[in-house]
Amino acid sequence: MSIALIVLAAGKGTRMQSDLPKVLHKIAHAPMLWHALRAGQTLEPDHCVVVAGHEAALVEASAKDYDPEIQVVLQSEQLGTGHAVSQAKEALAGFEGDAIVLYGDTPFIRQETLEAMAAARETHDVVVLGFEAADPGRYGRLLTDGDALQEIVEFKDATEAQRAITLCNSGVVAVKSEVLFDLLSAVSNDNAAGEYYLTDIVGIARARGLSATVVRCDESETLGVNSRAELATAETLLQQRKRQDLLEDGVAMQAPETVYLAWDTVIGRDTEIEPNVVFGPDVTVESGARIRAFSHLEGAHVSRGAVVGPYARLRPGAELAEDTRVGNFVEIKNATLGEGAKVNHLTYIGDAEIGERSNIGAGTVTCNYDGFFKHRTVIGSDAFIGSDTMLVAPVTIGDGAMTGSGSTITKDVPAGALALGRARQDNKLGFATKLFDMLRSKKAQKK
Ligand code: UD1
Ligand code: CA
């Protein structure tokens, strides 16, 4: 069955106290909206429509950034969830599959849950995702009769008896697209909030002889974010979930609670992540690597057998081949390290290419920036860069070449050459003794 996602993201999110629309606040480095989109993506939808309203241009840019194929429609006035979904009608004209409605501010829905809903749709006309709420508060209540769903009653409109029901509406629904818009055209705003409720489609469907049912999920999946405090809680929960997933996939972590992951962090089996490692977005670590304590990685790729850290920083474009070593207080940005290359101590490598098995000595700096432009440093294979070498880019060091410690290299070094770019040493015999004697007597006179 083909599927269309409709993601509601028009709300302002007043309680966030922010100029940014709510769905663009980030959890694990990705806007909340992207979490909802990704959950829906596993259903391989043919269409994805985001309903934007408050700060629609920003929401649209973010949605397109996630996937340029996403359609964004405008709900200029927020007249309720039913009204919001209706805005997708034109975008889905002629579409014959199922529509699944998600909320942009509900980032935790699991793929498995959406799959269960899509499956239930095969036997029921309307499928609603419900959950047993520990504290049902202001959620809409699901009125059921066995497996059948009869009606959804909003808190504001519910009787005391209905408010005692603990089975609540998550907001996620699955309905055949044509049927959804047909049902929505019968929804009125004659209720306590004066809004067009999406939830009314259930009662209308039943009155027309259509079937409706509930798929249940854990309450944690339906957690919505309405305030900064809830955003922080959501971050904590997502980190826990992500760590758990990695442990289940065979990643070793001695102190998982100290490891911070991004929404898209990929780590291979048998890789070890030591305590206090932070992952920014877009990091892939292959199997059998080791990321040692207190390292920070973003936009980086680490291959099998590589060891990074402790205290290493990999910035965007860091590409480490197999069995490389990046040690303490080393920063790598937009640079590739060939197989077996080593950069072990106190070094900056930026806009560079380092060949296989080359060794970069302590305190080396690729001087890549002249205040206006960035320049590249290219180092061949099996080269040896002496400690404290300044590589003033653009510069190329040939295969098997060597630079003397303390050199400032401004010219290309041919393969196999030794480059010395430093003042020649001059030993003045006895001078130190004389100097010390002079200073000692000066200090004695002062007393
Ligand atoms: C809604 C449900 C309620 C459910 C709850 C779960 C309705 C009428 N009620 O209530 O049964 O228990 O969610 O969290 O559907 N939005 C728009 N345009 C609008 C209105 C809302 O895009 O005109 C978006 C919001 O930005 C938000 C989502 O839809 O992402 C839900 O809207 P919200 O006002 O929070 O609904 P609730 O009152 O919480
Ligand atoms: Ca809400």
Side-chain angles (χ1 to χ4, degrees):
M1 182 45 107
S2 54
I3 285 175
L5 295 178
I6 302 173
V7 182
L8 304 191
K12 183 172 180 204
T14 311
R15 285 163 60 200
M16 293 301 288
Q17 299 289 0
S18 172
D19 293 336
L20 199 64
K22 177 160 78 174
V23 295
L24 298 191
H25 283 267
K26 288 182 177 176
I27 303 174
H29 294 280
M32 260 188 267
L33 176 64
W34 290 19
H35 290 271
L37 290 170
R38 185 169 65 170
Q41 223 69 40
T42 49
L43 298 171
E44 297 178 8
D46 295 294
H47 298 273
C48 180
V49 184
V50 169
V51 181
H54 179 71
E55 294 283 10
L58 292 178
V59 173
E60 174 164 18
S62 177
K64 299 270 188 199
D65 200 16
Y66 181 83
D67 179 356
E69 306 255 288
I70 290 175
Q71 289 172 275
V72 178
V73 298
L74 188 68
Q75 185 196 24
S76 37
E77 264 186 299
Q78 278 77 66
L79 303 179
T81 49
H83 179 257
V85 174
S86 296
Q87 309 310 305
K89 185 176 177 178
E90 240 172 81
L92 296 178
F95 173 67
E96 296 192 336
D98 285 347
I100 296 190
V101 178
L102 299 173
Y103 291 174
D105 62 356
T106 308
F108 290 105
I109 307 281
R110 280 196 182 261
Q111 301 162 9
E112 296 82 353
T113 301
L114 293 180
E115 281 159 16
M117 289 191 70
R121 238 299 295 144
E122 286 171 20
T123 49
H124 292 84
D125 296 305
V126 178
V127 181
V128 170
L129 182 62
F131 62 101
E132 281 296 337
D135 172 15
R138 305 187 64 79
Y139 287 118
R141 305 297 205 269
L142 302 187
L143 276 51
T144 52
D145 179 8
D147 273 350
L149 175 62
Q150 293 182 310
E151 196 185 343
I152 306 180
V153 183
E154 286 305 295
F155 176 80
K156 281 187 186 171
D157 305 285
T159 63
E160 279 309 312
Q162 289 167 336
R163 287 179 181 183
I165 295 171
T166 52
L167 182 60
C168 292
N169 175 31
S170 70
V172 182
V173 298
V175 193
K176 187 168 163 47
S177 182
E178 291 170 342
V179 176
L180 173 66
F181 294 112
D182 192 34
L183 293 170
L184 279 171
S185 64
V187 170
S188 82
N189 64 350
D190 180 17
N191 52 50
E195 288 183 3
Y196 295 90
Y197 293 160
L198 171 62
T199 45
D200 280 355
I201 64 168
V202 173
I204 297 169
R206 292 306 307 270
R208 291 182 182 180
L210 300 175
S211 65
T213 193
V214 188
V215 165
R216 292 163 200 247
C217 71
D218 192 76
E219 183 169 9
S220 61
E221 287 187 53
T222 70
L223 184 99
V225 173
N226 297 296
S227 63
R228 300 272 183 174
E230 285 173 8
L231 185 69
T233 304
E235 177 76 42
T236 304
L237 292 174
L238 201 90
Q239 290 294 339
Q240 282 168 359
R241 187 192 267 192
K242 185 95 192 157
R243 290 168 190 140
Q244 203 56 41
D245 288 349
L246 288 174
L247 290 167
E248 278 164 24
D249 289 347
V251 174
M253 289 186 269
Q254 301 102 321
E257 69 283 3
T258 67
V259 174
Y260 283 83
L261 301 152
W263 74 301
D264 58 353
T265 306
V266 177
I267 304 177
R269 194 182 146 99
D270 288 321
T271 277
E272 182 184 353
I273 311 294
E274 290 188 359
N276 296 298
V277 172
V278 175
F279 290 88
D282 192 23
V283 175
T284 304
V285 181
E286 290 182 14
S287 300
R290 188 169 174 208
I291 310 297
R292 307 206 54 200
F294 297 99
S295 294
H296 189 285
L297 297 79
E298 60 186 316
H301 175 232
V302 177
S303 301
R304 203 176 269 272
V307 181
V308 174
Y311 298 99
R313 179 162 183 216
L314 301 186
R315 291 175 52 204
E319 174 72 45
L320 276 53
E322 293 186 11
D323 303 318
T324 46
R325 296 282 179 275
V326 172
N328 40 252
F329 307 106
V330 170
E331 175 180 345
I332 311 272
K333 182 216 76 168
N334 186 30
T336 57
L337 268 60
E339 202 175 317
K342 290 181 186 158
V343 189
N344 273 331
H345 334 266
L346 302 160
T347 289
Y348 173 64
I349 301 293
D351 303 307
E353 193 182 314
I354 297 174
E356 295 171 10
R357 297 172 303 278
S358 284
N359 186 87
I360 311 299
T364 296
V365 174
T366 53
C367 310
N368 59 329
Y369 187 48
D370 57 20
F372 294 89
F373 299 102
K374 303 276 175 65
H375 303 281
R376 282 190 77 74
T377 300
V378 178
I379 299 173
S381 52
D382 301 295
F384 184 95
I385 304 300
S387 294
D388 191 33
T389 297
M390 296 296 117
L391 297 159
V392 183
V395 71
T396 298
I397 313 293
D399 293 344
M402 186 183 227
T403 68
S405 299
S407 288
T408 297
I409 302 296
T410 55
K411 289 188 292 195
D412 288 355
V413 180
L418 165 64
L420 294 170
R422 62 189 187 203
R424 189 173 290 273
Q425 185 169 329
D426 187 5
N427 289 340
K428 302 203 185 290
L429 299 181
F431 266 46
T433 314
K434 271 191 217 161
L435 189 64
F436 289 146
D437 285 349
M438 189 265 280
L439 292 171
R440 203 170 288 120
S441 67
K442 215 173 186 175
K443 194 160 189 180
Q445 278 166 21
K446 275 204 165 174
K447 279 183 183 164

